[in-house]
């Protein structure tokens, strides 16, 4: 590279650094397609808090900065060990190199070293990673660096601006997920962040966040029906909702403006078994207490002496039946989407596993096995039998809820017979869930 070109490249690198240091509200970066420098001006642009770099200079700038970093900062040879970059020059080179190509773990590690040496501020690092992710929303190294920075924030209990930090982080996750469909890295980062907050903020605030995230995932899921990562995050949200307190549950229902009990009763009424005389009307079922409703739907108490939390169990079934209803509506409107069928498998798996747990059963090598309670440690000999006796199986298969779910799935599979995923779903229920003789 000639001296003239080198001087131009160094000026461009300084211009980028000046924009980064002087414009605190930068939120986006991109390379602007310009083939030649016909304006004879600096290729660095800053318009409405967005940073741009004209494409004609990218190759020269990247080669120069990358070579300088590798030779003088990262891999110093014996001949060049005396040429050590000062912190400001190092930062300028790191900034422009990672903006152009952020998939360089060694350079992110160099930034970590600078943070540990107090040469870089953690808040500025969060802004820089957001800038990188605005152009490369699937950059795993940028997300990893961001998690490292957030970890130092949260582990040191620097929570004076926690609410602002949470909002900012969720906005970053929204933007990256919106820019790139099926962005596994973005959704995984969001999941990590929510889990990280569990030990930081109060339980009531955490429950409010669970509700907010559940509602967000529902809106996103309805608009991005093929986003597998979103559905995985939705399942994470569902499991968090299981743990809501009584007050939070009422807030949750009000936020959705939905009566979960009515959704459950509606599903039951449409699929009651014909060979069974149901003495309770829909209005009665809506007014039932959680304990009475569970007795009606499951009509069996486990033989161990442990108390069953009917309220929690009923709410879980109500939530999952709402999910099943919502999934059915989406599949009727958006056909042939594998992601929604996989989500349906999760819902049914959760329902069936809860019934197994209630009846004290688990499936081992395709066979239902009676499990002994680890809390009450009953000594009944029947508990020690490897295979479940027929009477216990009858209690499971003849329960109202089990028959309703089976009938509902049969009807839905027949309704969706043109969808190849419906056939696969039926095979899943028969072969994986062990319902071969019931479907």
């Amino acid at each position: 590279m000639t001296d003239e070109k080198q001087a131009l490249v160094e000026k461009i690198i300084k211009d980028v650094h000046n924009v980064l240091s002087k414009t605190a509200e930068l939120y986006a970066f991109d390379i602007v397609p310009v083939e030649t420098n016909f304006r004879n001006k600096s290729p660095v642009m800053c318009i409405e808090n967005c940073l741009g770099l004209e494409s004609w200079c990218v190759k020269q700038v990247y080669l120069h900065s990358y070579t300088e970093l590798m030779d003088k900062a990262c891999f110093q040879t014996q001949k060049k060990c005396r040429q050590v970059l000062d912190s400001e020059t190092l930062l300028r080179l790191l900034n422009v190199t990672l903006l152009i190509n952020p998939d360089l773990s060694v350079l992110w590690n160099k930034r970590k070293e600078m943070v540990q040496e107090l040469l870089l501020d953690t808040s500025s690092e969060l802004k820089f990673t957001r800038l990188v992710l605005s152009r490369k929303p699937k950059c795993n190294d940028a997300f990893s660096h961001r998690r490292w920075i957030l970890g130092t924030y949260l582990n040191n209990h620097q929570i004076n601006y926690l609410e602002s930090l949470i909002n900012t982080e969720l906005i970053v996750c929204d933007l990256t997920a919106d820019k790139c469909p099926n962005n596994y890295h973005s959704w995984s980062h969001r999941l990590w962040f929510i889990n990280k907050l569990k030990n930081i903020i109060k339980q009531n605030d955490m429950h409010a966040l669970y509700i907010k995230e559940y509602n967000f995932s529902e809106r996103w899921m309805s608009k991005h029906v093929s986003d597998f990562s979103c559905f995985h995050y939705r399942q994470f949200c569902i499991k968090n909702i299981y743990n809501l307190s009584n007050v939070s549950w009422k807030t949750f229902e009000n936020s959705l403006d939905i009566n979960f009990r009515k959704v459950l009763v509606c599903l039951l009424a449409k699929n009651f078994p014909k060979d069974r005389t149901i003495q309770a009307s829909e209005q009665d079922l809506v007014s039932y207490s959680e304990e009475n409703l569970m007795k009606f739907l499951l009509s069996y108490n486990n033989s161990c002496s442990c108390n069953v939390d009917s309220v929690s169990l009923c709410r879980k079934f109500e939530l999952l039946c709402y999910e099943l209803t919502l999934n059915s509506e989406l599949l009727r409107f958006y056909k042939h989407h594998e992601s929604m069928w996989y989500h349906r498998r999760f819902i049914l798996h959760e329902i069936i596993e809860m019934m197994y747990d209630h009846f004290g059963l688990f499936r081992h090598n395709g066979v239902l096995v009676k499990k002994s309670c680890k809390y009450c440690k009953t000594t009944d000999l029947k508990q020690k039998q490897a295979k479940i006796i027929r009477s216990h199986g009858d209690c499971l298969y003849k329960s109202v809820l089990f028959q309703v779910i089976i009938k509902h799935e049969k009807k839905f599979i027949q309704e969706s017979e043109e969808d190849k995923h419906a056939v696969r779903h039926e095979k899943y229920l028969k072969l994986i869930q062990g319902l071969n003789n019931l479907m």
Side-chain angles (χ1 to χ4, degrees):
M1 185 181 294
T2 63
D3 293 341
E4 184 179 349
K5 286 187 177 180
Q6 185 170 349
L8 176 61
V9 166
E10 289 178 354
K11 182 181 183 304
I12 294 171
I13 293 173
K14 287 181 181 179
D15 289 344
V16 172
H17 178 72
N18 289 335
V19 173
L20 290 174
S21 58
K22 293 179 180 179
T23 312
E25 302 300 324
L26 279 177
Y27 66 89
F29 166 76
D30 210 342
I31 293 175
V32 183
V34 179
E35 295 182 359
T36 57
N37 186 19
F38 62 90
R39 298 184 306 161
N40 197 24
K41 291 183 178 180
S42 173
V44 180
M45 297 178 289
C46 183
I47 302 173
E48 296 180 355
N49 294 326
C50 296
L51 175 62
L53 185 63
E54 293 181 357
S55 60
W56 63 266
C57 69
V58 168
K59 182 177 179 180
Q60 291 82 359
V61 169
Y62 179 75
L63 286 175
H64 172 77
S65 57
Y66 179 82
T67 304
E68 287 287 299
L69 286 169
M70 291 298 112
D71 290 345
K72 299 179 182 179
C74 298
F75 302 105
Q76 297 178 2
T77 61
Q78 292 182 355
K79 294 182 180 180
K80 299 180 180 180
C81 62
R82 296 179 182 177
Q83 300 176 349
V84 179
L85 297 173
D86 60 89
S87 59
E88 186 177 353
T89 305
L90 178 60
L91 180 58
R92 287 203 300 263
L93 293 172
L94 285 171
N95 285 342
V96 71
T97 308
L98 287 172
L99 283 174
I100 296 172
N101 179 18
D103 297 315
L104 293 168
S105 300
V106 65
L107 299 188
W108 288 108
N109 291 337
K110 203 68 183 176
R111 293 187 80 96
K112 289 184 178 69
E113 291 177 8
M114 295 182 72
V115 172
Q116 291 174 336
E117 294 170 2
L118 302 180
L119 298 174
L120 272 178
D121 182 43
T122 50
S123 59
S124 64
E125 281 300 274
L126 290 176
K127 293 178 182 177
F128 179 75
T129 52
R130 177 176 179 172
L131 206 60
V132 170
L133 290 168
S134 68
R135 178 170 174 262
K136 295 282 188 178
K138 275 191 171 183
C139 181
N140 186 47
D141 287 313
F143 276 117
S144 177
H145 187 70
R146 195 172 182 87
R147 282 192 290 274
W148 184 79
I149 296 294
L150 289 169
T152 58
Y153 256 105
L154 300 175
N155 291 337
N156 295 331
H157 301 289
Q158 298 179 8
I159 54 177
N160 297 330
Y161 305 100
L162 185 59
E163 185 177 355
S164 174
L165 179 67
I166 292 173
N167 292 333
T168 302
E169 203 59 29
L170 295 180
I171 288 172
V172 170
C173 292
D174 292 352
L175 293 173
T176 51
D178 190 48
K179 278 180 173 287
C180 190
N182 289 316
N183 193 340
Y184 168 80
H185 302 292
S186 175
W187 289 103
S188 295
H189 179 78
R190 192 184 194 108
L191 192 150
W192 171 88
F193 184 64
I194 298 298
N195 275 329
K196 191 71 176 176
L197 293 173
K198 289 181 179 179
N199 299 324
I200 305 296
I201 64 178
K202 298 178 181 178
Q203 186 182 46
N204 292 337
D205 295 335
M206 203 67 219
H207 287 178
L209 185 59
Y210 289 156
I211 295 170
K212 179 182 175 182
E213 287 300 286
Y214 180 89
N215 294 339
F216 165 78
S217 65
E218 181 170 328
R219 293 192 301 271
W220 189 280
M221 177 183 69
S222 301
K223 296 178 181 179
H224 304 79
V225 292
S226 292
D227 196 331
F228 285 88
S229 299
C230 171
F231 280 103
H232 176 257
Y233 185 75
R234 174 74 169 181
Q235 293 158 16
F236 166 76
C237 292
I238 291 171
K239 291 183 178 180
N240 286 333
I241 294 295
Y242 289 165
N243 303 317
L244 293 184
S245 62
N246 293 333
V247 176
S248 298
W249 180 263
K250 293 179 181 178
T251 305
F252 175 52
E253 281 193 313
N254 293 334
S255 68
L256 287 172
D257 194 22
I258 289 174
N259 189 321
F260 287 106
R261 176 64 64 84
K262 289 184 178 180
V263 174
L264 172 60
V265 170
C266 183
L267 181 69
L268 293 172
K270 292 179 180 178
N271 298 281
F272 274 138
K274 294 181 180 179
D275 58 343
R276 188 184 184 101
T277 303
I278 304 298
Q279 298 179 350
S281 64
E282 291 186 40
Q283 292 181 348
D284 293 335
L285 293 175
V286 171
S287 61
Y288 272 6
S289 66
E290 286 84 356
E291 184 178 359
N292 290 335
L293 184 61
M294 287 298 97
K295 286 181 179 179
F296 170 77
L297 293 178
L298 301 174
S299 61
Y300 173 81
N301 288 323
N302 200 352
S303 57
C304 71
S305 58
C306 292
N307 294 324
V308 177
D309 188 354
S310 300
V311 175
S312 176
L313 186 62
C314 182
R315 286 175 179 173
K316 289 177 182 178
F317 282 129
E318 288 175 356
L319 177 63
L320 290 170
C321 286
Y322 168 72
E323 282 291 319
L324 192 62
T325 304
L326 179 62
N327 181 266
S328 299
E329 292 175 357
L330 288 173
L331 280 170
R332 290 187 183 101
F333 195 76
Y334 302 102
K335 297 181 180 180
H336 311 289
H337 284 276
E338 189 177 29
S339 55
M340 289 190 290
W341 284 102
Y342 281 158
H343 183 60
R344 193 178 190 88
R345 290 184 186 183
F346 163 81
I347 298 167
L348 292 169
H349 174 77
E350 286 288 297
I351 293 174
I352 293 172
E353 284 297 314
M354 285 180 187
M355 284 192 280
Y356 284 168
D357 187 62
H358 177 78
F359 288 107
L361 310 170
F362 71 98
R363 189 170 290 278
H364 179 68
N365 293 332
V367 179
L368 282 176
V369 178
K370 188 71 177 177
K371 62 180 178 181
S372 58
C373 181
K374 62 182 179 181
Y375 299 108
C376 62
K377 297 181 180 179
T378 179
T379 57
D380 189 353
L381 292 177
K382 292 181 180 180
Q383 297 277 352
K384 298 181 180 180
Q385 293 179 351
K387 291 186 178 181
I388 181 172
I389 58 177
R390 185 170 181 80
S391 61
H392 287 147
D394 289 342
C395 288
L396 169 66
Y397 297 134
K398 290 183 179 180
S399 64
V400 174
L401 182 59
F402 190 86
Q403 292 190 37
V404 164
I405 294 299
I406 295 298
K407 185 176 180 180
H408 180 266
E409 286 307 291
K410 282 182 179 179
K411 288 167 60 177
F412 190 77
I413 290 170
Q414 291 174 357
E415 179 185 331
S416 310
E417 59 182 2
E418 295 181 358
D419 192 337
K420 64 179 181 180
H421 299 297
V423 179
R424 295 178 184 175
H425 181 67
E426 184 178 16
K427 289 181 179 179
Y428 164 79
L429 293 175
K430 288 181 177 180
L431 303 178
I432 306 301
Q433 291 296 339
L435 306 178
N436 192 32
N437 297 325
L438 302 171
M439 293 296 294

